[in-house]
Amino acid sequence: MRLRVEFTTEPFDLDEAPAHAVVAREIVTGAGLDAVDVGPFGNTAEGGAERVLDAVGALLRDTLEAGATRVSLQVNVIEESADPAQSEGSAR
């Protein structure tokens, strides 16, 4: 099963990335997920269910410890690719 997680951490600071946002970026970029996209108003990442769920757990624990006062997230099941080459690449 593949999952997509979309999340934001607060409070926002447009002048400088807060510590909790930096922690969130490090977690998703280091989790071996596919299609990671981080930005100031929202972040998304896709991958196998186990990796996404592990990343979500770390994201919640570590961003709250780093000063986040709110973490909003949504997790969706996404369809597996019909292209075998993409399926192989996502099984990292």
Side-chain angles (χ1 to χ4, degrees), residues 34-65:
D34 307 323
V36 174
D37 183 25
V38 294
F41 299 110
N43 310 282
T44 60
E46 295 178 10
E50 188 79 22
R51 287 185 187 221
V52 170
L53 294 174
D54 287 346
V56 166
L59 179 79
L60 291 171
R61 280 188 306 275
D62 296 354
T63 59
L64 292 170
E65 286 178 12

Side-chain angles (χ1 to χ4, degrees), residues 20-34:
H20 58 81
V22 173
V23 166
R25 181 175 56 233
E26 290 171 354
I27 290 168
V28 296
T29 59
L33 301 175
D34 307 323

